[in-house]
Amino acid sequence: AGSAAIEDLFVDFYNDRGLASEPTAFDGRSDYGPFIAEGVDIPAGGLFTGAEVIKTAAQAAVYGGTAGQQYDPCYHQACDTFANNSDVALGTNSDAIAYVTLSYAMSTEEINGTKSKGNFPPFEPAA
């Protein structure tokens, strides 16, 4: 419970800016797995920019890259260094993380029903 709201807020960030995005499996495969495990049940959310999944022609048309190759050809390889980083993707996704973090610093009410602990009004995204 609550994880879908986190994902929705990330989607809103990209939609509000006219940026393409798409969901990915939320299956506990990554570092967030222990948080969403049964019995722990801590809402989680985040961003996925690629790994070994093969890019489709439609994805290559939207995001660039080469259809038929993995999203990140350097994923867990020796070439996986800052030298092959996308500054545009890093900047955009850093802004998205800041947006979602600030939103939930103001209030987690939509996640867990708890109002702000400080003197913050609920966060209202710019129209």
Side-chain angles (χ1 to χ4, degrees):
S3 297
I6 297 170
E7 179 180 0
D8 289 345
L9 195 53
F10 276 113
V11 169
D12 290 346
F13 173 87
Y14 292 100
N15 287 345
D16 289 349
R17 287 153 184 80
L19 300 171
S21 69
E22 60 187 80
T24 191
F26 191 69
D27 55 12
R29 175 180 172 217
S30 193
D31 297 342
Y32 64 86
F35 293 95
I36 65 170
E38 188 173 338
V40 179
D41 303 317
I42 298 172
L47 301 176
F48 176 73
T49 58
E52 73 281 357
V53 177
I54 302 301
K55 187 175 286 192
T56 67
Q59 291 168 327
V62 172
Y63 305 108
T66 305
Q69 292 187 4
Q70 61 188 63
Y71 292 165
D72 181 355
C74 289
Y75 181 68
H76 288 185
Q77 304 295 318
C79 59
D80 195 1
T81 68
F82 197 74
N84 69 356
N85 182 66
S86 166
D87 290 339
V88 171
L90 178 61
T92 300
N93 292 330
S94 295
D95 289 348
I97 293 165
Y99 174 84
V100 171
T101 301
L102 177 62
S103 297
Y104 293 127
M106 299 292 191
S107 177
T108 58
E109 188 169 15
E110 72 172 4
I111 299 296
N112 60 11
T114 302
K115 293 189 179 192
S116 302
K117 294 181 176 90
N119 295 320
F120 303 109
F123 182 68
E124 295 291 332

